[in-house]
Amino acid sequence: MAELIPVDPFDLVIFGGSGDLAMRKLLPALYHRDRDGQISGNSRIVAVGRSAIAADTYIDTVHAALRSSLGEDDLDETVWPRFAARLAYFDVDATDA
């Protein structure tokens, strides 16, 4: 197995954070990196989208999406709180000055 080296702290912005690509591909991949210890403690993942979604609702949606795409066996519920704490969601209307 390859050695995973932790990366320096970062802030990652995902545009379209409530969309299909984020839910089925990007967030599961980031969850795996976090679970494997590659994401450092104070890194943040900021999702931005057009949908007006409350922060708690977004976290619940990501959790359900991970459960669906990864399966129950691959989603470690002891890692989930750490990953969820990294997540933030903001709705943005690009047409509003």
Side-chain angles (χ1 to χ4, degrees):
M1 182 158 92
E3 179 183 353
L4 296 176
I5 300 169
V7 296
D8 291 334
F10 62 87
D11 290 337
L12 174 69
V13 178
I14 300 175
F15 292 94
S18 60
D20 187 58
L21 176 64
M23 293 294 170
R24 288 189 323 108
K25 300 293 183 179
L26 300 177
L27 291 165
L30 290 164
Y31 167 80
H32 277 127
R33 298 288 56 95
D34 193 11
R35 184 195 65 193
D36 294 341
Q38 193 172 19
I39 297 179
S40 60
N42 53 355
S43 295
R44 296 181 297 179
I45 301 167
V46 179
V48 177
R50 292 182 290 173
S51 302
I53 303 171
D56 291 342
T57 303
Y58 183 76
I59 299 298
D60 292 342
T61 302
V62 172
H63 192 231
L66 290 178
R67 199 178 305 119
S68 174
S69 66
L70 299 178
E72 293 291 331
D73 295 338
D74 202 21
L75 180 60
D76 186 340
E77 293 296 338
T78 62
V79 174
W80 167 249
R82 180 180 70 215
F83 184 71
R86 298 185 193 290
L87 298 175
Y89 180 82
F90 297 95
D91 59 289
V92 176
D93 181 358
T95 63
D96 185 6

